Amino acid sequence: MGQRVALVLGSGGARGYAHIGVIEEIERRGYEIACIAGCSMGAVVGGIHAAGHLKDYRDWVSGLDYLDVIRLLDIGFGNLGAIRGERVFGRIREILGEINIEQLPIPFTAVATDLTNQQEVWFQQGCLHQAMRASAAIPSLFSPVRQGSRVLVDGGLLNPLPIVPVVSSHCDLIMAVNLNSIEMDGYSMPVVERPAPIRQQWDQWMTAIKPNWLGRKGEDEEEGDAMALLTAEPALEEAPHSRDEDQLAPVEVEAPPGPASMLELVNLSFEAMQSSLTQYKIAGYPPDVLINVPRRLCRFFEFYRAPELIELGRMVASDTLDQFEQRRRGR
């Protein structure tokens, strides 16, 4: 039997799909995932894996194209988040069924933030679905979860990489996946073939749906922000142009565009805070293996890029584990 791993899955929006590739690579190498702690999308992917339904979830999200993601949005009129999240988490509930955390074959902790008491909340028992929903309630995007007097939101607000819950697990290794790395390390987004080009789907959206949706008079400002944020044109990479060596000249690189809406401004601020907090958590409790997924390869909201992000997670995990295993053999 392989070494027992305590797996920590961090927050990072759509980049959380990379956790799927990381888990698959860890298990492919013979490691046994013996316990999991997760935050936000890390809690969602970790909880689903602990329940034994990761393949079902992967199949579902890998089949979502750009328009499918738009259709899953349930705009929250008058709510504390732009999206209620009932459609997305309703589908996850269908995949998992009704199950409590203490019934899971793999011990699991979901970390949320209690805004009322300004403290972390660790879900280690009770309804798995509610724990994941609370942990992934990204401020300004998803509506918070009310539990008695508590208002629960994304655990990344206080602990984007929850290492502490697994420190006492008595596993052989602690592996942590940081989705907020600022290092590129030579990585680029993998190219994965899809049934239909994203560009074609975007053109269909622009011509047939978006003008009517965004052009309504009297539209709620919060809804307008949500749609502007989540329907921004996908960043599609173009193949580099070839040129002769004697024509080489300095290349002007355009500055990245600024926030497209108030929601994007809030979430860019949220990501900056998470990056800083993550470094403190790593310094306080250094994991045996730290898998850094580059933040700049994918925007926080690009939930239609699951196949590429899963493959990216597998690639980064493979390279990191290669280096770790080489160091161990060289001792």
Side-chain angles (χ1 to χ4, degrees), residues 277-309:
L277 281 173
T278 297
Q279 297 309 309
Y280 284 110
K281 298 302 179 181
I282 294 170
Y285 295 91
D288 298 292
V289 179
L290 179 62
I291 299 171
N292 284 311
V293 177
R295 182 180 68 193
R296 297 178 184 175
L297 291 183
C298 172
R299 293 173 68 224
F300 197 83
F301 313 99
E302 295 180 323
F303 287 96
Y304 57 89
R305 305 184 76 177
E308 293 88 351
L309 287 162

PDB file of all heavy atoms in Angstrom, residues 277-309:
ATOM      1  N   LEU A 277      -2.608  35.784   2.404  1.00  0.00           N
ATOM      2  CA  LEU A 277      -2.936  34.878   3.510  1.00  0.00           C
ATOM      3  C   LEU A 277      -2.338  33.484   3.291  1.00  0.00           C
ATOM      4  O   LEU A 277      -1.871  32.839   4.234  1.00  0.00           O
ATOM      5  CB  LEU A 277      -4.453  34.768   3.662  1.00  0.00           C
ATOM      6  CG  LEU A 277      -5.167  35.914   4.379  1.00  0.00           C
ATOM      7  CD1 LEU A 277      -6.678  35.714   4.288  1.00  0.00           C
ATOM      8  CD2 LEU A 277      -4.735  35.997   5.834  1.00  0.00           C
ATOM      9  N   THR A 278      -2.354  33.034   2.045  1.00  0.00           N
ATOM     10  CA  THR A 278      -1.824  31.706   1.739  1.00  0.00           C
ATOM     11  C   THR A 278      -0.358  31.603   2.123  1.00  0.00           C
ATOM     12  O   THR A 278       0.087  30.579   2.674  1.00  0.00           O
ATOM     13  CB  THR A 278      -2.007  31.391   0.240  1.00  0.00           C
ATOM     14  OG1 THR A 278      -3.404  31.348  -0.061  1.00  0.00           O
ATOM     15  CG2 THR A 278      -1.381  30.049  -0.109  1.00  0.00           C
ATOM     16  N   GLN A 279       0.406  32.642   1.851  1.00  0.00           N
ATOM     17  CA  GLN A 279       1.829  32.618   2.191  1.00  0.00           C
ATOM     18  C   GLN A 279       2.043  32.512   3.691  1.00  0.00           C
ATOM     19  O   GLN A 279       2.947  31.810   4.155  1.00  0.00           O
ATOM     20  CB  GLN A 279       2.514  33.872   1.641  1.00  0.00           C
ATOM     21  CG  GLN A 279       2.473  33.986   0.121  1.00  0.00           C
ATOM     22  CD  GLN A 279       2.949  32.716  -0.576  1.00  0.00           C
ATOM     23  OE1 GLN A 279       4.028  32.185  -0.268  1.00  0.00           O
ATOM     24  NE2 GLN A 279       2.147  32.228  -1.507  1.00  0.00           N
ATOM     25  N   TYR A 280       1.212  33.161   4.472  1.00  0.00           N
ATOM     26  CA  TYR A 280       1.298  33.052   5.930  1.00  0.00           C
ATOM     27  C   TYR A 280       0.968  31.632   6.395  1.00  0.00           C
ATOM     28  O   TYR A 280       1.624  31.093   7.296  1.00  0.00           O
ATOM     29  CB  TYR A 280       0.357  34.054   6.596  1.00  0.00           C
ATOM     30  CG  TYR A 280       0.856  35.475   6.579  1.00  0.00           C
ATOM     31  CD1 TYR A 280       0.254  36.443   5.783  1.00  0.00           C
ATOM     32  CD2 TYR A 280       1.946  35.860   7.368  1.00  0.00           C
ATOM     33  CE1 TYR A 280       0.717  37.751   5.765  1.00  0.00           C
ATOM     34  CE2 TYR A 280       2.415  37.169   7.354  1.00  0.00           C
ATOM     35  CZ  TYR A 280       1.798  38.105   6.554  1.00  0.00           C
ATOM     36  OH  TYR A 280       2.268  39.402   6.527  1.00  0.00           O
ATOM     37  N   LYS A 281      -0.043  31.027   5.797  1.00  0.00           N
ATOM     38  CA  LYS A 281      -0.431  29.668   6.197  1.00  0.00           C
ATOM     39  C   LYS A 281       0.677  28.674   5.863  1.00  0.00           C
ATOM     40  O   LYS A 281       0.972  27.768   6.647  1.00  0.00           O
ATOM     41  CB  LYS A 281      -1.732  29.274   5.494  1.00  0.00           C
ATOM     42  CG  LYS A 281      -2.937  30.145   5.843  1.00  0.00           C
ATOM     43  CD  LYS A 281      -3.230  30.140   7.332  1.00  0.00           C
ATOM     44  CE  LYS A 281      -4.423  31.022   7.673  1.00  0.00           C
ATOM     45  NZ  LYS A 281      -4.695  31.047   9.140  1.00  0.00           N
ATOM     46  N   ILE A 282       1.297  28.830   4.704  1.00  0.00           N
ATOM     47  CA  ILE A 282       2.379  27.936   4.301  1.00  0.00           C
ATOM     48  C   ILE A 282       3.585  28.105   5.217  1.00  0.00           C
ATOM     49  O   ILE A 282       4.228  27.129   5.616  1.00  0.00           O
ATOM     50  CB  ILE A 282       2.761  28.189   2.831  1.00  0.00           C
ATOM     51  CG1 ILE A 282       1.603  27.797   1.904  1.00  0.00           C
ATOM     52  CG2 ILE A 282       4.028  27.436   2.459  1.00  0.00           C
ATOM     53  CD1 ILE A 282       1.800  28.230   0.460  1.00  0.00           C
ATOM     54  N   ALA A 283       3.887  29.360   5.567  1.00  0.00           N
ATOM     55  CA  ALA A 283       5.028  29.616   6.449  1.00  0.00           C
ATOM     56  C   ALA A 283       4.797  29.051   7.842  1.00  0.00           C
ATOM     57  O   ALA A 283       5.716  28.539   8.482  1.00  0.00           O
ATOM     58  CB  ALA A 283       5.291  31.119   6.536  1.00  0.00           C
ATOM     59  N   GLY A 284       3.544  29.110   8.319  1.00  0.00           N
ATOM     60  CA  GLY A 284       3.239  28.608   9.658  1.00  0.00           C
ATOM     61  C   GLY A 284       3.222  27.100   9.740  1.00  0.00           C
ATOM     62  O   GLY A 284       3.663  26.518  10.748  1.00  0.00           O
ATOM     63  N   TYR A 285       2.734  26.440   8.714  1.00  0.00           N
ATOM     64  CA  TYR A 285       2.642  24.979   8.684  1.00  0.00           C
ATOM     65  C   TYR A 285       3.070  24.478   7.308  1.00  0.00           C
ATOM     66  O   TYR A 285       2.229  24.146   6.471  1.00  0.00           O
ATOM     67  CB  TYR A 285       1.211  24.509   8.993  1.00  0.00           C
ATOM     68  CG  TYR A 285       0.759  24.839  10.390  1.00  0.00           C
ATOM     69  CD1 TYR A 285       0.103  26.034  10.671  1.00  0.00           C
ATOM     70  CD2 TYR A 285       0.998  23.958  11.449  1.00  0.00           C
ATOM     71  CE1 TYR A 285      -0.309  26.347  11.961  1.00  0.00           C
ATOM     72  CE2 TYR A 285       0.590  24.252  12.739  1.00  0.00           C
ATOM     73  CZ  TYR A 285      -0.056  25.452  12.987  1.00  0.00           C
ATOM     74  OH  TYR A 285      -0.456  25.755  14.269  1.00  0.00           O
ATOM     75  N   PRO A 286       4.377  24.430   7.049  1.00  0.00           N
ATOM     76  CA  PRO A 286       4.854  24.024   5.716  1.00  0.00           C
ATOM     77  C   PRO A 286       4.450  22.591   5.392  1.00  0.00           C
ATOM     78  O   PRO A 286       4.744  21.677   6.167  1.00  0.00           O
ATOM     79  CB  PRO A 286       6.384  24.148   5.831  1.00  0.00           C
ATOM     80  CG  PRO A 286       6.627  25.010   7.025  1.00  0.00           C
ATOM     81  CD  PRO A 286       5.493  24.746   7.960  1.00  0.00           C
ATOM     82  N   PRO A 287       3.771  22.360   4.280  1.00  0.00           N
ATOM     83  CA  PRO A 287       3.430  20.993   3.890  1.00  0.00           C
ATOM     84  C   PRO A 287       4.653  20.261   3.355  1.00  0.00           C
ATOM     85  O   PRO A 287       5.650  20.889   2.978  1.00  0.00           O
ATOM     86  CB  PRO A 287       2.382  21.191   2.797  1.00  0.00           C
ATOM     87  CG  PRO A 287       2.731  22.521   2.195  1.00  0.00           C
ATOM     88  CD  PRO A 287       3.265  23.361   3.319  1.00  0.00           C
ATOM     89  N   ASP A 288       4.578  18.933   3.313  1.00  0.00           N
ATOM     90  CA  ASP A 288       5.673  18.151   2.741  1.00  0.00           C
ATOM     91  C   ASP A 288       5.780  18.370   1.238  1.00  0.00           C
ATOM     92  O   ASP A 288       6.878  18.375   0.672  1.00  0.00           O
ATOM     93  CB  ASP A 288       5.457  16.661   3.045  1.00  0.00           C
ATOM     94  CG  ASP A 288       5.456  16.380   4.538  1.00  0.00           C
ATOM     95  OD1 ASP A 288       6.514  16.513   5.165  1.00  0.00           O
ATOM     96  OD2 ASP A 288       4.380  16.054   5.067  1.00  0.00           O
ATOM     97  N   VAL A 289       4.620  18.530   0.603  1.00  0.00           N
ATOM     98  CA  VAL A 289       4.577  18.778  -0.846  1.00  0.00           C
ATOM     99  C   VAL A 289       3.628  19.944  -1.094  1.00  0.00           C
ATOM    100  O   VAL A 289       2.473  19.910  -0.665  1.00  0.00           O
ATOM    101  CB  VAL A 289       4.086  17.538  -1.626  1.00  0.00           C
ATOM    102  CG1 VAL A 289       4.026  17.838  -3.121  1.00  0.00           C
ATOM    103  CG2 VAL A 289       4.971  16.334  -1.350  1.00  0.00           C
ATOM    104  N   LEU A 290       4.114  20.973  -1.772  1.00  0.00           N
ATOM    105  CA  LEU A 290       3.289  22.123  -2.119  1.00  0.00           C
ATOM    106  C   LEU A 290       3.142  22.185  -3.630  1.00  0.00           C
ATOM    107  O   LEU A 290       4.129  22.346  -4.354  1.00  0.00           O
ATOM    108  CB  LEU A 290       3.916  23.418  -1.602  1.00  0.00           C
ATOM    109  CG  LEU A 290       3.149  24.708  -1.934  1.00  0.00           C
ATOM    110  CD1 LEU A 290       1.758  24.689  -1.310  1.00  0.00           C
ATOM    111  CD2 LEU A 290       3.935  25.937  -1.456  1.00  0.00           C
ATOM    112  N   ILE A 291       1.922  22.038  -4.099  1.00  0.00           N
ATOM    113  CA  ILE A 291       1.625  22.054  -5.531  1.00  0.00           C
ATOM    114  C   ILE A 291       1.053  23.427  -5.877  1.00  0.00           C
ATOM    115  O   ILE A 291      -0.042  23.776  -5.438  1.00  0.00           O
ATOM    116  CB  ILE A 291       0.646  20.924  -5.893  1.00  0.00           C
ATOM    117  CG1 ILE A 291       1.260  19.562  -5.553  1.00  0.00           C
ATOM    118  CG2 ILE A 291       0.245  20.993  -7.368  1.00  0.00           C
ATOM    119  CD1 ILE A 291       0.297  18.397  -5.661  1.00  0.00           C
ATOM    120  N   ASN A 292       1.810  24.209  -6.631  1.00  0.00           N
ATOM    121  CA  ASN A 292       1.435  25.591  -6.952  1.00  0.00           C
ATOM    122  C   ASN A 292       0.820  25.682  -8.340  1.00  0.00           C
ATOM    123  O   ASN A 292       1.500  25.453  -9.342  1.00  0.00           O
ATOM    124  CB  ASN A 292       2.658  26.500  -6.881  1.00  0.00           C
ATOM    125  CG  ASN A 292       3.060  26.829  -5.457  1.00  0.00           C
ATOM    126  OD1 ASN A 292       2.224  27.226  -4.648  1.00  0.00           O
ATOM    127  ND2 ASN A 292       4.331  26.653  -5.138  1.00  0.00           N
ATOM    128  N   VAL A 293      -0.445  26.024  -8.401  1.00  0.00           N
ATOM    129  CA  VAL A 293      -1.140  26.219  -9.679  1.00  0.00           C
ATOM    130  C   VAL A 293      -1.103  27.708 -10.023  1.00  0.00           C
ATOM    131  O   VAL A 293      -1.559  28.539  -9.231  1.00  0.00           O
ATOM    132  CB  VAL A 293      -2.596  25.726  -9.597  1.00  0.00           C
ATOM    133  CG1 VAL A 293      -3.340  26.007 -10.903  1.00  0.00           C
ATOM    134  CG2 VAL A 293      -2.638  24.239  -9.270  1.00  0.00           C
ATOM    135  N   PRO A 294      -0.551  28.082 -11.185  1.00  0.00           N
ATOM    136  CA  PRO A 294      -0.421  29.509 -11.534  1.00  0.00           C
ATOM    137  C   PRO A 294      -1.771  30.218 -11.596  1.00  0.00           C
ATOM    138  O   PRO A 294      -2.694  29.762 -12.275  1.00  0.00           O
ATOM    139  CB  PRO A 294       0.249  29.483 -12.914  1.00  0.00           C
ATOM    140  CG  PRO A 294       0.918  28.150 -12.994  1.00  0.00           C
ATOM    141  CD  PRO A 294       0.045  27.216 -12.213  1.00  0.00           C
ATOM    142  N   ARG A 295      -1.858  31.329 -10.908  1.00  0.00           N
ATOM    143  CA  ARG A 295      -3.114  32.064 -10.821  1.00  0.00           C
ATOM    144  C   ARG A 295      -3.462  32.764 -12.127  1.00  0.00           C
ATOM    145  O   ARG A 295      -4.631  32.872 -12.502  1.00  0.00           O
ATOM    146  CB  ARG A 295      -2.999  33.100  -9.695  1.00  0.00           C
ATOM    147  CG  ARG A 295      -4.264  33.911  -9.450  1.00  0.00           C
ATOM    148  CD  ARG A 295      -4.056  34.902  -8.329  1.00  0.00           C
ATOM    149  NE  ARG A 295      -3.109  35.942  -8.698  1.00  0.00           N
ATOM    150  CZ  ARG A 295      -2.567  36.790  -7.834  1.00  0.00           C
ATOM    151  NH1 ARG A 295      -2.841  36.679  -6.560  1.00  0.00           N
ATOM    152  NH2 ARG A 295      -1.732  37.733  -8.250  1.00  0.00           N
ATOM    153  N   ARG A 296      -2.470  33.258 -12.851  1.00  0.00           N
ATOM    154  CA  ARG A 296      -2.733  34.134 -13.994  1.00  0.00           C
ATOM    155  C   ARG A 296      -3.178  33.399 -15.255  1.00  0.00           C
ATOM    156  O   ARG A 296      -3.518  34.031 -16.246  1.00  0.00           O
ATOM    157  CB  ARG A 296      -1.483  34.956 -14.300  1.00  0.00           C
ATOM    158  CG  ARG A 296      -1.105  35.890 -13.155  1.00  0.00           C
ATOM    159  CD  ARG A 296       0.155  36.658 -13.450  1.00  0.00           C
ATOM    160  NE  ARG A 296       0.563  37.472 -12.310  1.00  0.00           N
ATOM    161  CZ  ARG A 296       1.679  38.182 -12.251  1.00  0.00           C
ATOM    162  NH1 ARG A 296       2.499  38.184 -13.290  1.00  0.00           N
ATOM    163  NH2 ARG A 296       1.978  38.883 -11.176  1.00  0.00           N
ATOM    164  N   LEU A 297      -3.174  32.084 -15.228  1.00  0.00           N
ATOM    165  CA  LEU A 297      -3.573  31.334 -16.420  1.00  0.00           C
ATOM    166  C   LEU A 297      -5.084  31.274 -16.596  1.00  0.00           C
ATOM    167  O   LEU A 297      -5.573  30.952 -17.675  1.00  0.00           O
ATOM    168  CB  LEU A 297      -3.011  29.910 -16.364  1.00  0.00           C
ATOM    169  CG  LEU A 297      -1.497  29.775 -16.506  1.00  0.00           C
ATOM    170  CD1 LEU A 297      -1.089  28.316 -16.497  1.00  0.00           C
ATOM    171  CD2 LEU A 297      -0.995  30.450 -17.775  1.00  0.00           C
ATOM    172  N   CYS A 298      -5.812  31.582 -15.549  1.00  0.00           N
ATOM    173  CA  CYS A 298      -7.272  31.457 -15.632  1.00  0.00           C
ATOM    174  C   CYS A 298      -7.920  32.471 -14.708  1.00  0.00           C
ATOM    175  O   CYS A 298      -7.528  32.604 -13.547  1.00  0.00           O
ATOM    176  CB  CYS A 298      -7.689  30.040 -15.239  1.00  0.00           C
ATOM    177  SG  CYS A 298      -9.475  29.802 -15.079  1.00  0.00           S
ATOM    178  N   ARG A 299      -8.904  33.180 -15.217  1.00  0.00           N
ATOM    179  CA  ARG A 299      -9.657  34.102 -14.380  1.00  0.00           C
ATOM    180  C   ARG A 299     -10.519  33.321 -13.399  1.00  0.00           C
ATOM    181  O   ARG A 299     -10.906  32.181 -13.637  1.00  0.00           O
ATOM    182  CB  ARG A 299     -10.537  35.014 -15.236  1.00  0.00           C
ATOM    183  CG  ARG A 299      -9.754  35.974 -16.111  1.00  0.00           C
ATOM    184  CD  ARG A 299     -10.684  36.725 -17.048  1.00  0.00           C
ATOM    185  NE  ARG A 299     -11.543  37.648 -16.341  1.00  0.00           N
ATOM    186  CZ  ARG A 299     -12.840  37.793 -16.578  1.00  0.00           C
ATOM    187  NH1 ARG A 299     -13.442  37.027 -17.475  1.00  0.00           N
ATOM    188  NH2 ARG A 299     -13.557  38.674 -15.913  1.00  0.00           N
ATOM    189  N   PHE A 300     -10.828  33.973 -12.303  1.00  0.00           N
ATOM    190  CA  PHE A 300     -11.569  33.376 -11.199  1.00  0.00           C
ATOM    191  C   PHE A 300     -12.909  32.788 -11.637  1.00  0.00           C
ATOM    192  O   PHE A 300     -13.405  31.832 -11.056  1.00  0.00           O
ATOM    193  CB  PHE A 300     -11.805  34.482 -10.154  1.00  0.00           C
ATOM    194  CG  PHE A 300     -12.188  34.010  -8.791  1.00  0.00           C
ATOM    195  CD1 PHE A 300     -11.231  33.611  -7.878  1.00  0.00           C
ATOM    196  CD2 PHE A 300     -13.521  33.993  -8.399  1.00  0.00           C
ATOM    197  CE1 PHE A 300     -11.574  33.201  -6.600  1.00  0.00           C
ATOM    198  CE2 PHE A 300     -13.877  33.591  -7.130  1.00  0.00           C
ATOM    199  CZ  PHE A 300     -12.902  33.191  -6.227  1.00  0.00           C
ATOM    200  N   PHE A 301     -13.513  33.339 -12.709  1.00  0.00           N
ATOM    201  CA  PHE A 301     -14.891  33.009 -13.067  1.00  0.00           C
ATOM    202  C   PHE A 301     -15.023  32.118 -14.308  1.00  0.00           C
ATOM    203  O   PHE A 301     -16.131  31.891 -14.773  1.00  0.00           O
ATOM    204  CB  PHE A 301     -15.678  34.298 -13.324  1.00  0.00           C
ATOM    205  CG  PHE A 301     -15.469  35.333 -12.266  1.00  0.00           C
ATOM    206  CD1 PHE A 301     -14.590  36.368 -12.456  1.00  0.00           C
ATOM    207  CD2 PHE A 301     -16.137  35.238 -11.058  1.00  0.00           C
ATOM    208  CE1 PHE A 301     -14.372  37.315 -11.467  1.00  0.00           C
ATOM    209  CE2 PHE A 301     -15.936  36.177 -10.066  1.00  0.00           C
ATOM    210  CZ  PHE A 301     -15.057  37.213 -10.269  1.00  0.00           C
ATOM    211  N   GLU A 302     -13.917  31.617 -14.836  1.00  0.00           N
ATOM    212  CA  GLU A 302     -13.975  30.885 -16.102  1.00  0.00           C
ATOM    213  C   GLU A 302     -14.325  29.408 -15.878  1.00  0.00           C
ATOM    214  O   GLU A 302     -13.539  28.511 -16.148  1.00  0.00           O
ATOM    215  CB  GLU A 302     -12.648  31.045 -16.855  1.00  0.00           C
ATOM    216  CG  GLU A 302     -12.415  32.480 -17.278  1.00  0.00           C
ATOM    217  CD  GLU A 302     -11.105  32.690 -18.034  1.00  0.00           C
ATOM    218  OE1 GLU A 302     -10.094  32.047 -17.704  1.00  0.00           O
ATOM    219  OE2 GLU A 302     -11.116  33.500 -18.973  1.00  0.00           O
ATOM    220  N   PHE A 303     -15.550  29.189 -15.445  1.00  0.00           N
ATOM    221  CA  PHE A 303     -15.987  27.843 -15.091  1.00  0.00           C
ATOM    222  C   PHE A 303     -16.271  26.962 -16.308  1.00  0.00           C
ATOM    223  O   PHE A 303     -16.625  25.801 -16.153  1.00  0.00           O
ATOM    224  CB  PHE A 303     -17.233  27.917 -14.193  1.00  0.00           C
ATOM    225  CG  PHE A 303     -16.934  28.389 -12.800  1.00  0.00           C
ATOM    226  CD1 PHE A 303     -17.098  29.721 -12.451  1.00  0.00           C
ATOM    227  CD2 PHE A 303     -16.477  27.502 -11.839  1.00  0.00           C
ATOM    228  CE1 PHE A 303     -16.814  30.162 -11.162  1.00  0.00           C
ATOM    229  CE2 PHE A 303     -16.198  27.926 -10.548  1.00  0.00           C
ATOM    230  CZ  PHE A 303     -16.359  29.267 -10.210  1.00  0.00           C
ATOM    231  N   TYR A 304     -16.146  27.505 -17.496  1.00  0.00           N
ATOM    232  CA  TYR A 304     -16.347  26.712 -18.702  1.00  0.00           C
ATOM    233  C   TYR A 304     -15.046  26.057 -19.168  1.00  0.00           C
ATOM    234  O   TYR A 304     -15.016  25.383 -20.194  1.00  0.00           O
ATOM    235  CB  TYR A 304     -16.892  27.607 -19.833  1.00  0.00           C
ATOM    236  CG  TYR A 304     -15.996  28.780 -20.150  1.00  0.00           C
ATOM    237  CD1 TYR A 304     -14.973  28.665 -21.087  1.00  0.00           C
ATOM    238  CD2 TYR A 304     -16.154  29.988 -19.491  1.00  0.00           C
ATOM    239  CE1 TYR A 304     -14.127  29.721 -21.356  1.00  0.00           C
ATOM    240  CE2 TYR A 304     -15.319  31.060 -19.753  1.00  0.00           C
ATOM    241  CZ  TYR A 304     -14.305  30.914 -20.682  1.00  0.00           C
ATOM    242  OH  TYR A 304     -13.467  31.958 -20.932  1.00  0.00           O
ATOM    243  N   ARG A 305     -13.944  26.213 -18.422  1.00  0.00           N
ATOM    244  CA  ARG A 305     -12.640  25.701 -18.857  1.00  0.00           C
ATOM    245  C   ARG A 305     -12.207  24.471 -18.059  1.00  0.00           C
ATOM    246  O   ARG A 305     -11.021  24.239 -17.852  1.00  0.00           O
ATOM    247  CB  ARG A 305     -11.592  26.807 -18.736  1.00  0.00           C
ATOM    248  CG  ARG A 305     -11.949  28.073 -19.486  1.00  0.00           C
ATOM    249  CD  ARG A 305     -10.853  29.119 -19.425  1.00  0.00           C
ATOM    250  NE  ARG A 305      -9.744  28.779 -20.313  1.00  0.00           N
ATOM    251  CZ  ARG A 305      -8.675  29.553 -20.496  1.00  0.00           C
ATOM    252  NH1 ARG A 305      -8.570  30.693 -19.820  1.00  0.00           N
ATOM    253  NH2 ARG A 305      -7.704  29.204 -21.320  1.00  0.00           N
ATOM    254  N   ALA A 306     -13.165  23.669 -17.627  1.00  0.00           N
ATOM    255  CA  ALA A 306     -12.842  22.504 -16.785  1.00  0.00           C
ATOM    256  C   ALA A 306     -11.838  21.550 -17.430  1.00  0.00           C
ATOM    257  O   ALA A 306     -10.870  21.151 -16.770  1.00  0.00           O
ATOM    258  CB  ALA A 306     -14.126  21.764 -16.406  1.00  0.00           C
ATOM    259  N   PRO A 307     -12.004  21.137 -18.686  1.00  0.00           N
ATOM    260  CA  PRO A 307     -11.044  20.171 -19.246  1.00  0.00           C
ATOM    261  C   PRO A 307      -9.608  20.686 -19.229  1.00  0.00           C
ATOM    262  O   PRO A 307      -8.678  19.943 -18.889  1.00  0.00           O
ATOM    263  CB  PRO A 307     -11.552  19.966 -20.684  1.00  0.00           C
ATOM    264  CG  PRO A 307     -13.007  20.297 -20.631  1.00  0.00           C
ATOM    265  CD  PRO A 307     -13.108  21.415 -19.641  1.00  0.00           C
ATOM    266  N   GLU A 308      -9.423  21.953 -19.589  1.00  0.00           N
ATOM    267  CA  GLU A 308      -8.077  22.516 -19.605  1.00  0.00           C
ATOM    268  C   GLU A 308      -7.497  22.604 -18.191  1.00  0.00           C
ATOM    269  O   GLU A 308      -6.317  22.315 -17.966  1.00  0.00           O
ATOM    270  CB  GLU A 308      -8.097  23.910 -20.244  1.00  0.00           C
ATOM    271  CG  GLU A 308      -8.440  23.927 -21.718  1.00  0.00           C
ATOM    272  CD  GLU A 308      -9.933  24.007 -21.987  1.00  0.00           C
ATOM    273  OE1 GLU A 308     -10.727  23.877 -21.026  1.00  0.00           O
ATOM    274  OE2 GLU A 308     -10.312  24.197 -23.150  1.00  0.00           O
ATOM    275  N   LEU A 309      -8.314  23.013 -17.233  1.00  0.00           N
ATOM    276  CA  LEU A 309      -7.835  23.181 -15.865  1.00  0.00           C
ATOM    277  C   LEU A 309      -7.547  21.837 -15.194  1.00  0.00           C
ATOM    278  O   LEU A 309      -6.603  21.716 -14.411  1.00  0.00           O
ATOM    279  CB  LEU A 309      -8.852  23.985 -15.057  1.00  0.00           C
ATOM    280  CG  LEU A 309      -8.885  25.471 -15.410  1.00  0.00           C
ATOM    281  CD1 LEU A 309     -10.170  26.131 -14.927  1.00  0.00           C
ATOM    282  CD2 LEU A 309      -7.673  26.190 -14.823  1.00  0.00           C
TER     283      LEU A 309
END
